[in-house]
Amino acid sequence: MRRTVARPARENTAPPAPPAQDRPEAEPAAAPAAAAVPEPALRTEFAFELPRGYVDAQGTVHREGTMRLSTARDELLPLRDARVMENPAYLSVVLLGRVITRLGTLSSVHDGTVEGMFASDLAFLQDFYRQINAEGHTRATVACPHCSEPFEVELGGSRLGES
């Protein structure tokens, strides 16, 4: 068993603080250099316009639509699809059918809709999918050098072949 010996408390060797009237004025807290800029909300849906357009059973052409960001589930579930297991090229059709949220006035968009698209529209959507999911969108918010007003610019082309 260990015994401890009581020791006397240490004396404070620091000099006493000067009286309040003798203290130098405290410097005011520095103001922040720049006002905090609120971070923009995450954008999860992106508008697009098909080069040719999807023609439905009634002959209506649908060109304008929206695509949402893909989730891990969107990319994993099609891998279990029998059509994809039989033909891996079918993966993009199933995947696009999951992430396109609107196309013209269609009530729903699914892989059957994507199957009926022209090849040029399918290629456009595959490229658009890559832009928004892997590389991010191609727009940037900038400020006018003269008036400091913010606005968006397109950094890359929105159609195949544009840069």
Side-chain angles (χ1 to χ4, degrees), residues 55-137:
V55 182
D56 65 16
Q58 290 75 34
T60 305
V61 178
H62 304 273
R63 293 185 70 201
E64 294 181 0
T66 54
M67 183 184 294
R68 65 174 172 77
L69 290 176
S70 179
T71 64
R73 169 174 265 159
D74 292 324
E75 294 202 352
L76 293 172
L77 285 181
L79 297 175
R80 296 183 189 164
D81 190 301
R83 298 167 295 181
V84 173
M85 287 190 274
E86 185 179 310
N87 181 1
Y90 202 77
L91 174 63
S92 65
V93 171
V94 177
L95 185 55
L96 289 170
R98 293 180 61 87
V99 298
I100 297 172
T101 57
R102 183 184 62 79
L103 184 59
T105 58
L106 296 175
S107 58
S108 69
V109 180
H110 48 80
D111 52 9
T113 308
V114 179
E115 279 181 333
M117 290 184 175
F118 295 111
S120 59
D121 288 335
L122 178 62
F124 169 84
L125 289 170
Q126 289 169 330
D127 184 54
F128 189 68
Y129 176 90
R130 277 189 295 274
Q131 283 182 8
I132 68 171
N133 286 286
E135 303 157 11
H137 59 85

Side-chain angles (χ1 to χ4, degrees), residues 14-73:
Q21 68 269 18
D22 294 341
R23 290 186 197 152
E25 288 292 322
E27 292 184 30
V37 178
E39 189 150 333
L42 177 63
R43 197 169 150 203
T44 60
E45 286 199 332
F46 300 85
F48 64 82
E49 184 175 322
L50 295 174
R52 296 195 188 273
Y54 171 73
V55 182
D56 65 16
Q58 290 75 34
T60 305
V61 178
H62 304 273
R63 293 185 70 201
E64 294 181 0
T66 54
M67 183 184 294
R68 65 174 172 77
L69 290 176
S70 179
T71 64
R73 169 174 265 159

